[in-house]
Amino acid sequence: MPPKKRRSLRARMITLVLLPSTVLLLVWSLFTALLVGDIRELRTEAALTREVGVAVLAVIDSVQTERLATADSADGAESTRRALEESRAATDTAVTGLTGALHGFDADALPDQALDLQRDLEGLAHHRDIVDALPPHRRDLVQTATAYHDLVEQGLRFWDARVEHAEPAQIPRLRSLNSLMRARELLARQNTVFTHAVATDTFTPGAHTEFVAAAGAQRHTWDRIGAELAPEDARTYRLLESYDSLRRVHDLQDAVIAAPQNTRPPVNASAWEGAAEASDQRMSAVEHEQLDLLADYSDARSADLARTALLTSLPILAIALASAAVAITGAVRMGRRLDRLRTTTLEHARVHLPRLTARLRAGEEVEPEPAPVPRARGDEITDVADAFDDARRAAVASAVQEARLRAGVRAMFGTIARRTQSLVHRQLAVLDRLERDETDPDALAALFRVDHFSARLRRNAENLMLLSGGTPTRHPRAPMRLHEVVRAAAGEIEDYTRVQPRDLPPVALRGDTAADTARLLAELLENATAFSPPTAEVEVRAVADADGCRIEVTDQGLGMGAAALEEANALLADPPRFDVSGLVEDSPLGLFVVATLAARHGLAVELAAAPGGNGVRATVRVPADALAEPGPVPAPPPPTRVPAPAVRAVPAAPPVPPTPAVPAPAPAANGAGPRQDAGTDDDHYMGLPRRRRRAVDPAPAPAAAADDDDRSPERMRSLMSAFQAGTLRARADGPGPDGDTEEG
């Protein structure tokens, strides 16, 4: 399962403090977006009015002029034909200007009416061809002017659409401007009708009707101009209404309306053309003036909005950014303090406190450390730091108290071990004297057994002293041969008879290493005999090579599981400091002793399954620098023959550990065996006659007594004296009866 990702506290704090700033920035963004949208829309409207609107108005003017020239060309004169061509060229120029203006905007921003006008203007050439194909005198007014009416109407629709997209303040002005444009168009239509009548020298009823309709619509539209404007804005239109040319047009309109039909033009052509042209020019000037006002208003409005956006959005943005910066700075500063607190606490919890505890356990003096967390101000973080310091001081005090307690326990164990060892040494000295003076074989056998138990008790006391940090007091003076070390180790356990040394090489161990190696092997042998069947043998083999010597202890017991072997080998490879607080009922004290002794002399101990899967094989690697040259082998003392009368048979003494046939004597570590050569015959063992218990006849014959002359009590006493002498020599390296240590 992948590890769960964890967000840091600093990131969470920054996220929390950024929420209000983010909301404020979002509000600012929306507000600014609306203002920018309004500004863009106003600027677009101003650009449409100033560029596209003016171009559309120019197209309307040119189309009206071309329509008038087309009606005037009905007389067939050369001058009117040239005027028509000039008007068409002007229209083409206006159309080109409109196309260029439309190309300056995106297609999405252009109104549909402007695009429709551009598309309708593409059919103007076809209409011209139709007009040119007709003879001048047959150019009917309806047939020639209708297409121009539609083009002008499409241009006026563009301005009608501007009203729908304008701001409320601009709507009245745009409506008045549209009314003025339509009034001007109606006047242009009347002028076209009257011009066509003059060119054809006839004023038909249809022309009269169209003139009257256009005049009525013009007057109705004129009444709407300025109706919705404020008085100051309607002043321009009122001044336009007071012009003489416009009044003259109204008078001539009344005359035409009142004239009968099917007659020639009822008014003077020059008078009408002069008044109509003057009024049209004045209306055109007012249109352009109002267009400029509309564009200026849009520019001013967009500038006001931009100024408002700067005055409102920029402070909001500054406040939002400042609040975000302050929040982030505070969060980062607090995060740094928390991170410093976390780093310091983890460093003290994982590094300083274990190091201090280790120093205390090692018995070193420690100085009180200052507060690890710096204090910035009196806030909750400082309270947490104070709480950590209190916990740290309590942990240090507890560690000091625990170290003192452990030191006291170790000192107590060491004192008990030393006292027990002193008592055991004295006890062994008393046993030596008793064994030396005792003549009863049964009592002597019992004393030897007590002597063996005392030797085991001494080893347990030495182990206790070793685990408590002390040093055992037995130190041999000279190197010991390997078979002597194995024999001494076997003499330290109860079932020494099951230990079978085999193929031991003739190597010797240094004196300082031999005693501890014997203790180490004794622990391994005791475990091997304790966890194997009572009748099974425990083999001890050794192999010498260039790197030293390898000793193997193999039993035939229950064995150990893979996990138990791994745990035991880990303990043997890196022995921890012996801690009484971690002891339980089944703690492996023997492994602690083995690991401690091995680490002291550079030995390597490893446990593995025995060949065949039954039992455990312990391998002890003795380095080459722990070996020494073997010394000369002392000869055993000769037996003393003391003749004596035949008495009852002497019971057999307790057996001694079997050893291989080697020429060197071996001192028994427990004092239970003599330092003699090992025999190989059936009647002698290790230089001593093999004793066998036999029945005692109630009345032995003199011949039998004579045959048993060599087994007399005097002879046995002599042999026991030799055995005791070997025991004394084996204990020569140990403390005296008063517990004094004899250093070698």
Side-chain angles (χ1 to χ4, degrees):
M1 183 177 180
K4 184 178 180 181
K5 294 184 178 179
R6 184 184 65 178
R7 294 182 59 193
S8 64
L9 181 60
R10 181 185 301 179
R12 295 181 181 179
M13 294 175 59
I14 292 177
T15 302
L16 289 177
V17 301
L18 281 181
L19 283 177
S21 301
T22 304
V23 173
L24 187 59
L25 286 174
L26 287 177
V27 173
W28 171 84
S29 300
L30 292 176
F31 176 73
T32 305
L34 292 176
L35 287 179
V36 171
D38 292 341
I39 294 172
R40 184 182 294 109
E41 185 176 357
L42 285 173
R43 290 180 177 177
T44 302
E45 289 295 326
L48 287 173
T49 301
R50 182 175 288 108
E51 298 179 15
V52 179
V54 171
V56 170
L57 191 58
V59 169
I60 292 175
D61 291 343
S62 62
V63 169
Q64 290 174 347
T65 303
E66 183 177 347
R67 180 181 57 189
L68 183 62
T70 303
D72 194 20
S73 65
D75 60 356
E78 182 65 23
S79 59
T80 57
R81 186 182 61 80
R82 287 195 302 269
L84 178 59
E85 292 177 357
E86 293 175 358
S87 64
R88 286 179 177 178
T91 302
D92 294 338
T93 302
V95 171
T96 302
L98 175 62
T99 302
L102 294 178
H103 285 167
F105 294 86
D106 294 335
D108 297 336
L110 291 174
D112 296 336
Q113 294 78 10
L115 298 176
D116 294 339
L117 176 60
Q118 184 184 23
R119 185 171 53 255
D120 292 343
L121 288 172
E122 295 176 356
L124 183 59
H126 178 67
H127 177 69
R128 292 172 178 174
D129 293 338
I130 295 175
V131 172
D132 293 341
L134 295 174
H137 61 279
R138 295 184 58 184
R139 294 175 181 175
D140 183 68
L141 180 61
V142 177
Q143 188 178 8
T144 57
T146 302
Y148 296 105
H149 295 344
D150 295 338
L151 290 176
V152 174
E153 182 63 26
Q154 187 62 44
L156 294 176
R157 289 174 184 172
F158 167 82
W159 287 103
D160 292 338
R162 295 298 90 208
V163 177
E164 299 176 0
H165 297 84
E167 286 191 340
Q170 290 282 71
I171 291 176
R173 181 169 293 165
L174 274 173
R175 285 179 177 175
S176 298
L177 178 60
N178 290 348
S179 298
L180 178 61
M181 290 181 180
R182 290 194 175 274
R184 184 185 172 202
E185 164 61 13
L186 292 172
L187 179 59
R189 288 188 180 185
Q190 298 173 48
N191 194 16
T192 301
V193 172
F194 189 82
T195 301
H196 186 270
V198 172
T200 57
D201 196 22
T202 179
F203 195 58
T204 63
H208 184 271
T209 301
E210 185 176 354
F211 185 92
V212 172
Q218 177 193 355
R219 294 185 179 184
H220 174 74
T221 304
W222 188 266
D223 294 337
R224 297 172 54 187
I225 297 176
E228 300 178 2
L229 293 177
E232 60 273 12
D233 295 331
R235 180 172 177 272
T236 302
Y237 296 100
R238 287 197 297 269
L239 291 176
L240 178 62
E241 189 177 9
S242 63
Y243 285 149
D244 293 338
S245 59
L246 187 58
R247 291 183 178 181
R248 181 64 178 165
V249 167
H250 289 167
D251 294 340
L252 294 174
Q253 286 176 348
D254 293 338
V256 173
I257 293 172
Q261 300 180 6
N262 294 322
T263 61
R264 297 178 61 187
V267 295
N268 185 272
S270 299
W272 171 260
E273 290 178 0
E277 184 177 357
S279 298
D280 182 76
Q281 291 178 356
R282 184 55 188 168
M283 289 181 181
S284 177
V286 173
E287 285 178 357
H288 286 83
E289 180 181 352
Q290 293 300 314
L291 285 175
D292 292 338
L293 291 176
L294 288 173
D296 293 341
Y297 176 84
S298 297
D299 292 338
R301 179 60 178 162
S302 63
D304 292 341
L305 288 178
R307 193 162 41 251
T308 302
L310 292 177
L311 294 177
T312 56
S313 64
L314 288 182
I316 294 175
L317 177 61
I319 293 173
L321 294 178
S323 61
V326 171
I328 293 175
T329 302
V332 170
R333 186 181 297 111
M334 186 174 296
R336 288 177 180 173
R337 294 182 60 197
L338 291 175
D339 186 68
R340 185 163 58 251
L341 175 62
R342 172 181 173 274
T343 303
T344 306
T345 53
L346 288 179
E347 184 179 0
H348 276 265
R350 297 177 180 178
V351 178
H352 296 295
L353 189 59
R355 184 185 304 166
L356 183 141
T357 305
R359 292 177 58 191
L360 289 174
R361 289 180 178 178
E364 300 180 10
E365 294 292 334
V366 295
E367 296 293 335
E369 298 181 358
V373 182
R375 269 64 171 174
R377 58 183 67 88
D379 55 5
E380 288 79 1
I381 299 179
T382 304
D383 295 339
V384 173
D386 293 337
F388 169 74
D389 288 341
D390 294 339
R392 181 182 61 86
R393 284 190 292 268
V396 172
S398 176
V400 171
Q401 184 178 1
E402 181 183 359
R404 291 176 180 174
L405 178 61
R406 291 177 178 175
V409 171
R410 287 196 299 269
M412 180 185 65
F413 282 169
T415 302
I416 294 175
R418 284 192 298 271
R419 291 182 179 180
T420 302
Q421 191 177 26
S422 177
L423 293 176
V424 170
H425 285 316
R426 293 182 180 182
Q427 181 179 344
L428 290 174
V430 173
L431 288 174
D432 286 339
R433 288 194 298 270
L434 292 177
E435 292 170 358
R436 190 181 304 112
D437 299 335
E438 183 59 49
T439 60
D440 186 3
D442 293 335
L444 188 60
L447 288 176
F448 283 154
R449 189 169 183 82
V450 173
D451 187 282
H452 181 73
F453 289 153
S454 298
R456 293 180 60 197
L457 182 61
R458 179 180 60 185
R459 180 168 61 87
N460 291 336
E462 290 176 351
N463 291 342
L464 183 60
M465 182 179 294
L466 184 70
L467 294 178
S468 62
T471 303
T473 57
R474 291 190 294 167
H475 297 287
R477 294 185 179 91
M480 292 180 62
R481 295 177 179 269
L482 181 58
H483 70 274
E484 294 176 340
V485 174
V486 174
R487 185 183 302 169
E492 296 281 342
I493 67 173
E494 183 176 2
D495 292 335
Y496 57 88
T497 58
R498 294 166 54 192
V499 179
Q500 297 296 327
R502 303 183 189 278
D503 302 330
L504 299 180
V507 297
L509 278 69
R510 291 201 320 261
D512 57 341
T513 307
D516 286 342
T517 304
R519 295 188 189 96
L520 185 150
L521 291 176
E523 293 296 330
L524 295 177
L525 291 173
E526 186 170 21
N527 285 341
T529 57
F531 293 98
S532 60
T535 59
E537 295 180 349
V538 177
E539 294 185 353
V540 181
R541 298 179 182 272
V543 177
D545 52 22
D547 296 332
C549 180
R550 186 178 73 253
I551 307 172
E552 296 179 352
V553 178
T554 308
D555 62 58
Q556 302 177 10
L558 300 177
M560 300 173 63
L565 284 174
E566 183 178 358
E567 182 179 357
N569 287 325
L571 174 63
L572 293 172
D574 187 15
R577 182 177 176 83
F578 183 72
D579 190 1
V580 296
S581 64
L583 294 180
V584 294
E585 184 177 357
D586 56 348
S587 295
L589 297 182
L591 289 181
F592 275 108
V593 174
V594 171
T596 303
L597 292 173
R600 176 176 296 181
H601 296 283
L603 309 181
V605 183
E606 183 179 3
L607 302 181
N614 295 327
V616 176
R617 170 173 291 178
T619 303
V620 181
R621 166 63 69 175
V622 181
D625 56 1
L627 301 180
E629 292 295 333
V633 180
T640 304
R641 294 182 60 86
V642 180
V647 294
R648 64 181 179 85
V650 180
V656 295
T659 58
V662 292
N670 61 347
R675 188 184 181 96
Q676 299 289 346
D677 293 340
T680 58
D681 55 353
D682 295 336
D683 296 332
H684 291 78
Y685 180 74
M686 297 177 62
L688 297 177
R690 189 182 298 277
R691 292 171 289 182
R692 295 179 175 84
R693 189 180 298 276
R694 62 181 178 178
V696 180
D697 296 333
D707 295 336
D708 198 38
D709 182 62
D710 292 339
R711 307 290 288 179
S712 63
E714 288 76 7
R715 171 61 176 165
M716 294 305 300
R717 181 172 183 175
S718 177
L719 293 176
M720 292 300 103
S721 297
F723 185 84
Q724 188 177 20
T727 303
L728 292 176
R729 284 195 301 271
R731 294 175 181 162
D733 297 329
D738 297 333
D740 297 334
T741 302
E742 192 175 18
E743 300 293 341

